[in-house]
């Protein structure tokens, strides 16, 4: 009796939040229609589905909207209960994963580029240490049977393309010398086919940074 | 074979985050030891259990720490699976509850008291409208069989003592004329015995505001 369900995702290619939803759907092997939003001219549907925040991503499942990337990931995992599971079943393991994901996501609040960088480095210091508890045997290696989960998705969406950011901003921040576990985690994730599918090409990211800088940082006289 | 488990909660009476954990444990009928922390002189245990944020609440279950109020609430609900359930089982209903809880919790960012108040009123406008979807038949009425859940707990921790705040700051913000659904929701929650148990007396809250104001707002010359 299982009818084929309708799954649509409203996203925007450069949004790390939308990347999380895209990656989760691909990892779970769920067929879906992807709708790219123009954030300067949002679709009527996006505004209707997410009237409070008016943001991507929005997952629309059989006509019902789910918003906020962390909530979308939980919804996906609870609705399509076949493996791979994005979150551990054990409540304590699950709590640890949710703690670290929330920790990574919380935005840097610095008022200057330097203070934001300092805050980011402090965060990476804590994460490098904390991940030793999550990965006691070192960075995970993925396979058909061991897929990335919730924490991997959040981490990759934030730091997966750190090398492009480093090149553009001229600041090396995620070095293998200082953060061996985090960097080898990223390297392992880069090998995963679904991760490769959702990663934009370097030139496209560089172009986005360029656009962003021109728009938000007034040129010096 | 079920051994009696050890449940401890490190909290601080004026923290709305700690109130959430206290209220959740009481609503689920879980026996626990409450440890009041002096935030000016945090216990060694608190620092050891929550080295990243060093904040209350911390739930310690059989020696394992769980931190962050939203994660603690999910952990409690998943670990003690008997009713009452804090979160709906249906993934879509659950997503809606988590969305609104996150919306309510997100802090006002205004830089002056007036801009914070404006932001708060906008938030309440959206919440009053949004709760019509959550409570299509008006504010819930609670009983032995219908206990407050996750969203009720978060809402009450933020707005349950709004009348004390209004009196102290001299600003009426949550009026029944403007927010009939939100105010009747609070009134219903105030009748719940577990809610009454975790609500500090008015004089104590007033004293806390007084202390806070003296500490953080320099007196005018």
């Amino acid at each position: 009796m299982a009818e084929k369900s309708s799954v649509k995702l409203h996203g925007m290619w450069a949004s790390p939040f939308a990347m999380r939803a895209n990656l989760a759907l691909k990892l779970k092997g769920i067929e879906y229609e992807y709708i790219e939003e123009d954030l300067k001219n949002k679709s009527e549907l996006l505004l209707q589905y997410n009237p409070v925040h008016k943001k991507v991503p929005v997952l629309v499942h059989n006509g019902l909207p789910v918003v906020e990337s962390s909530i979308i990931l939980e919804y996906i995992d609870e609705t399509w209960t076949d493996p791979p599971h994005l979150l551990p079943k054990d409540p304590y393991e699950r709590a640890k994963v949710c703690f670290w994901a929330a920790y990574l996501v919380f935005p840097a609040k610095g008022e200057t580029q330097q203070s934001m960088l300092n805050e980011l480095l402090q965060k990476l210091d804590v994460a490098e240490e904390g991940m030793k508890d999550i990965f006691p045997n070192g960075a995970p290696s993925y396979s058909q049977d061991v897929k990335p989960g919730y924490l991997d998705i959040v981490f990759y969406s934030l730091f997966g393309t750190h090398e492009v950011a480093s090149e553009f901003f001229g600041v090396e921040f995620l070095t293998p010398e200082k953060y061996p576990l985090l960097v080898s985690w990223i390297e392992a994730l880069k090998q995963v086919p679904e991760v490769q599918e959702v990663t934009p090409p370097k030139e496209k990211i560089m172009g986005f940074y360029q656009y962003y800088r021109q728009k938000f940082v007034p040129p010096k006289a």
Side-chain angles (χ1 to χ4, degrees), chain A:
Chain A
M1 291 289 286
E3 273 185 61
K4 189 158 162 47
S5 65
S6 149
V7 183
K8 297 180 186 184
L9 180 70
H10 293 250
M12 187 275 183
W13 70 269
S15 158
F17 304 96
M19 182 198 272
R20 287 170 210 164
N22 263 313
L23 184 48
L25 289 165
K26 285 183 194 294
L27 288 165
K28 296 281 286 190
I30 298 161
E31 273 185 52
Y32 67 104
E33 179 187 342
Y34 175 74
I35 297 144
E36 176 76 7
E37 289 283 344
D38 175 358
L39 298 188
K40 293 191 293 298
N41 182 23
K42 296 172 182 174
S43 73
E44 279 302 311
L45 273 177
L46 177 67
L47 302 178
Q48 175 193 320
Y49 285 138
N50 190 1
V52 173
H53 298 301
K54 305 179 178 65
K55 286 183 182 163
V56 294
V58 177
L59 179 77
V60 187
H61 184 206
N62 295 332
L64 295 175
V66 181
V67 304
E68 298 273 300
S69 68
S70 63
I71 296 175
I72 291 173
L73 263 56
E74 288 207 44
Y75 178 82
I76 290 172
D77 208 32
E78 288 159 6
T79 301
W80 291 275
T81 52
D82 287 341
H85 302 299
L86 302 179
L87 279 160
K89 288 292 146 206
D90 176 74
Y92 189 68
E93 294 302 318
R94 193 177 171 101
K96 282 205 291 192
V97 161
C98 290
F99 171 81
W100 283 110
Y103 179 77
L104 290 173
V105 162
F106 203 78
K109 285 165 302 183
E111 299 202 345
T112 65
Q113 198 167 314
Q114 188 58 47
S115 65
M116 278 181 75
L117 179 64
N118 291 342
E119 211 188 308
L120 176 64
L121 292 174
Q122 279 175 22
K123 175 172 286 212
L124 292 173
D125 290 348
V126 172
E128 174 78 13
E129 202 52 38
M131 288 310 103
K132 291 178 187 165
D133 176 44
I134 299 285
F135 304 125
N137 304 313
S141 69
Y142 303 100
S143 66
Q144 234 357 77
D145 296 324
V146 183
K147 294 276 187 186
Y150 186 95
L151 183 57
D152 311 78
I153 291 171
V154 168
F155 177 66
Y156 187 81
S157 75
L158 294 165
F159 299 111
T161 57
H162 70 100
E163 286 158 314
V164 186
S166 286
E167 185 175 328
F168 185 83
F169 294 102
V171 185
E172 293 272 349
F173 59 96
L174 237 174
T175 59
E177 294 73 28
K178 201 163 170 212
Y179 304 109
L181 182 52
L182 298 181
V183 171
S184 51
W185 188 15
I186 293 172
E187 292 306 313
L189 282 162
K190 281 186 187 171
Q191 309 306 315
V192 177
E194 294 88 344
V195 170
Q196 293 169 358
E197 280 179 54
V198 301
T199 306
K202 179 181 162 182
E203 303 68 44
K204 210 171 164 187
I205 303 173
M206 291 290 248
F208 183 76
Y209 286 147
Q210 194 67 46
Y211 161 82
Y212 217 76
R213 177 141 76 183
Q214 281 171 354
K215 188 164 172 195
F216 294 104
V217 182
K220 285 185 187 160

